[in-house]
Amino acid sequence: MIAMTAIGSVLAATVTPFDEEGRLDLGALKAHIEDVLSCPGIAGVVPNAHAGEVDALTREERVQVLRQVVAVARGRARVVAGVSAQSAPEAVLLARDAKDAGADAILLCPPAAWLIGRAPGAVRMFFEEVGRAGIPIIVFQYAPWMGNAAYDLETLSEIAGMENVVGVKEASWEVLAYERAFRTLKARHPDFAVLSANDEHLMHTYLTGCDGTLVVYAALTPALICELYDACKQGDYARARRIHDRLWPITEAVFSVPPKSNWCVRVKEGLKMMGRLSSSRVRSPLVPASPDEIS
């Protein structure tokens, strides 16, 4: 079982480029991964997560993405594959695809059905079944306002104690909820990795404590996120605050403007504006950025 210390500190959730006809663009994907990994502080990349529009990809496309990313990252950075599925058997297939493609771990999303409720024991059963794929699992923790798709602290702690589960992408999007989770998990499971994923509150959560970070922000501005992470880990509050202030206008424009669901669109637009992505094309149900968002 891979230790989370081997995964690394700053992990970038990468986007999935499409051409202007909406087809998967593997050449642009290769360039995107090369671009992100050109920042020395990036220890890993996370394709096929929400930043990569995973639910708009077919199974075959997800495998194509993973193979391309692993080919670029091999020997340079770890690869964590996003797994978003609506049943345990489907999740097992996707987890095995990730393992066969050479991924180091998977980031396991909760099934959408849990948004409206889940039965007692359902979470443990789901993780036990997916664990049989034989690849380490990082839990994707959603924000509390996402209902039962977010794990209560006791459930999350139970998952953290499972043999095949090595860490959590903690995206509660609330500083208080994050600190409670961090303190509880580290007290009960010291070797379990808590990865901050709160793009709007990165400085706050880094200063609270974390074992790493897993964010799309690290694909948009990798150097600044690595610098912020380093400053906070070094206890250099003044430097962290300066970087936080530089990031703030981007944070507001990308993650805080309604509709918040368009953050992925805005990330692609930002990469295109910087000349780091040739097309900002997204797939439905996402829609292109509006003129106001672009300006």
Side-chain angles (χ1 to χ4, degrees), residues 253-275:
V254 174
F255 300 105
S256 301
V257 177
K260 287 194 173 186
S261 58
N262 248 28
W263 60 265
C264 181
V265 179
R266 297 165 191 153
V267 167
K268 280 190 166 180
E269 284 292 347
L271 290 169
K272 183 181 178 182
M273 287 177 182
M274 290 184 284

Side-chain angles (χ1 to χ4, degrees), residues 11-17 25-40 42-49 52 64-74 76-80 218-219 222 271 276-277:
L11 291 84
T14 50
V15 303
T16 301
D25 190 336
L26 293 177
L29 175 63
K30 179 181 179 181
H32 174 53
I33 301 301
E34 291 278 10
D35 174 50
V36 172
L37 292 181
S38 68
C39 176
I42 298 294
V45 287
V46 187
N48 290 348
Q64 286 181 283
V65 166
L66 279 175
R67 287 175 178 165
Q68 181 69 287
V69 173
V70 169
V72 175
R74 185 173 283 123
R76 303 167 60 187
R78 297 287 181 171
V79 176
V80 177
L271 290 169
R276 293 168 48 207
L277 198 67

Side-chain angles (χ1 to χ4, degrees), residues 220-235:
L220 180 62
T221 58
L224 284 174
I225 297 304
C226 290
E227 289 173 24
L228 178 63
Y229 181 82
D230 180 67
C232 291
K233 296 301 273 188
Q234 295 298 321

Side-chain angles (χ1 to χ4, degrees), residues 2 30 45 61 81 88 123 181 206 208 218 235 243 246 262:
I2 191 169
K30 179 181 179 181
V45 287
E61 287 176 324
V123 175
Y206 293 171
T208 294
I243 300 165
R246 285 185 64 190
N262 248 28

Side-chain angles (χ1 to χ4, degrees), residues 2-218:
I2 191 169
M4 277 308 300
T5 51
I7 289 287
S9 50
V10 180
L11 291 84
T14 50
V15 303
T16 301
F18 304 113
D19 63 22
E20 290 303 328
E21 283 69 49
R23 297 169 300 202
L24 186 62
D25 190 336
L26 293 177
L29 175 63
K30 179 181 179 181
H32 174 53
I33 301 301
E34 291 278 10
D35 174 50
V36 172
L37 292 181
S38 68
C39 176
I42 298 294
V45 287
V46 187
N48 290 348
H50 293 319
E53 298 174 66
V54 60
D55 292 317
L57 302 177
T58 65
R59 181 184 175 191
E60 292 74 19
E61 287 176 324
R62 298 183 201 196
V63 171
Q64 286 181 283
V65 166
L66 279 175
R67 287 175 178 165
Q68 181 69 287
V69 173
V70 169
V72 175
R74 185 173 283 123
R76 303 167 60 187
R78 297 287 181 171
V79 176
V80 177
V83 169
S84 177
Q86 301 317 310
S87 69
E90 182 190 8
V92 170
L93 287 176
L94 295 171
R96 287 175 176 159
D97 286 345
K99 183 179 180 181
D100 292 344
D104 298 287
I106 62 169
L107 173 65
L108 185 58
C109 301
W114 288 351
L115 285 165
I116 57 173
R118 51 180 162 83
V123 175
R124 171 168 280 278
M125 188 180 301
F126 182 69
F127 275 85
E128 285 177 344
E129 191 163 344
V130 178
R132 296 189 187 108
I135 186 169
I137 298 172
I138 299 173
V139 184
F140 197 143
Q141 169 69 320
Y142 286 0
W145 41 263
M146 296 190 74
N148 287 289
Y151 307 113
D152 60 87
L153 199 45
E154 288 305 312
T155 299
L156 184 57
S157 182
E158 180 185 4
I159 300 169
M162 298 176 69
E163 183 179 358
N164 57 312
V165 182
V166 296
V168 59
K169 172 179 176 172
E170 214 295 341
S172 60
W173 226 255
E174 293 179 3
V175 175
L176 180 59
Y178 174 86
E179 182 158 355
R180 283 176 175 158
F182 178 77
R183 288 179 179 274
T184 300
L185 291 170
K186 298 309 290 185
R188 297 179 183 178
H189 310 282
D191 296 328
F192 185 74
V194 179
L195 309 176
S196 170
N198 298 269
D199 300 76
E200 287 182 308
H201 318 116
L202 290 181
M203 182 184 71
H204 312 75
T205 54
Y206 293 171
L207 290 171
T208 294
C210 64
D211 301 297
T213 186
L214 195 171
V215 285
V216 68
Y217 221 148

